[in-house]
Amino acid sequence: MNTTIPKLPLIIKPFLLSLLLSLTVLILIALQTPHHRKTTAQQPDTITSESGGGLRIRPGYSSYDEYIQRQLNKTLNPKLRKIWTTRDWQRKVRVFAKFFESLKRRNLLFNDSKALSIGARVGQEVSALKSIGVNDSIGIDLVPYPPLVVKGDFHAQPFMNDTFDFEFSNVFDHALYPWKFVGEIERTLKPGGVCVIHVALSRRADKYSANDLYSVGPLVELFKDSKVVEVRKVDGFGLDTEVVFRKNKSRNI
């Protein structure tokens, strides 16, 4: 029995050869091209620092609106707001004033500084700034508290570029997108301006937090246009570490 395979027409051979070469090239390109997982936040759920530790974004939010609503549940809680504006008021103003006085002694904050408190709730930090002579001070929060606090989302500050000499926040753990939180600070801070952030490293943040920070490294790496001035221990309403940044006087290109 003759099992000879029939010869292919001459016109098919070049076609198959061309197809084989094309597939080979596509495979090589695919192997050399890095693959990126697309996320709505445009960042991984966990950011690991080169210096060790990490920054973990907490899961569970199906949308940004859901995240905002959860934050509002705390900010608008009538029992909490009553505490913040009555028995809690003087204690917090007094403690914040000590923090800010220390920054003045270290030449990081001045009476003529234009200052912003980020996530200021009812404005204890702003009141403390004014009490020590930093009169051009304002706070932002999702819920305004005039005249100390105006409405604003710290992921998209309602201010022009290069507006402030000094920015303070103790709500970094509430940022769902920490890179946007930091990016807005660097956008609105003047060249040479100072940013002070209080964070918790030694314990888990509260149930309204959107991220967990395990070392200073990931926070430092988020600041692309600033340098660390100092890192020190503090005792600030459950937060244990103060990190001070100074924005570069000339922009990075």
Side-chain angles (χ1 to χ4, degrees), residues 42-151:
Q42 298 179 339
Q43 284 282 357
D45 292 335
T46 302
I47 302 170
T48 302
S49 167
E50 293 179 1
S51 56
L55 169 62
R56 175 180 174 271
I57 310 304
R58 292 188 183 181
Y61 296 108
S62 61
S63 67
Y64 190 68
D65 287 341
E66 182 182 336
Y67 157 78
I68 290 294
Q69 188 56 54
R70 181 164 175 78
Q71 299 304 313
L72 288 173
N73 288 342
K74 180 177 183 179
T75 305
L76 290 174
N77 185 305
K79 292 182 179 179
L80 289 176
R81 291 186 78 80
K82 184 175 181 180
I83 292 172
W84 295 338
T85 55
T86 55
R87 74 183 194 207
D88 221 22
W89 181 267
Q90 288 300 330
R91 178 177 69 93
K92 287 196 172 181
V93 170
R94 184 171 61 252
V95 173
F96 282 126
K98 288 182 179 179
F99 287 144
F100 297 141
E101 283 281 16
S102 175
L103 292 167
K104 286 179 70 174
R105 290 194 298 270
R106 286 137 60 200
N107 294 318
L108 297 168
L109 175 65
F110 305 91
N111 282 351
D112 61 354
S113 296
K114 185 176 181 64
L116 173 68
S117 176
I118 302 166
R121 291 184 183 163
V122 293
Q124 294 105 327
E125 302 101 308
V126 181
S127 180
L129 284 164
K130 292 179 180 293
S131 74
I132 64 166
V134 187
N135 294 317
D136 192 0
S137 302
I138 194 68
I140 60 168
D141 204 278
L142 291 173
V143 179
Y145 192 79
L148 299 177
V149 181
V150 299
K151 184 176 182 179

Side-chain angles (χ1 to χ4, degrees), residues 118 157 167 181-189 195 197 223:
I118 302 166
Q157 290 187 23
E167 298 193 25
F181 177 94
V182 170
E184 283 297 275
I185 289 174
E186 291 197 308
R187 180 183 67 79
T188 58
L189 199 60
C195 170
I197 296 184
F223 279 81

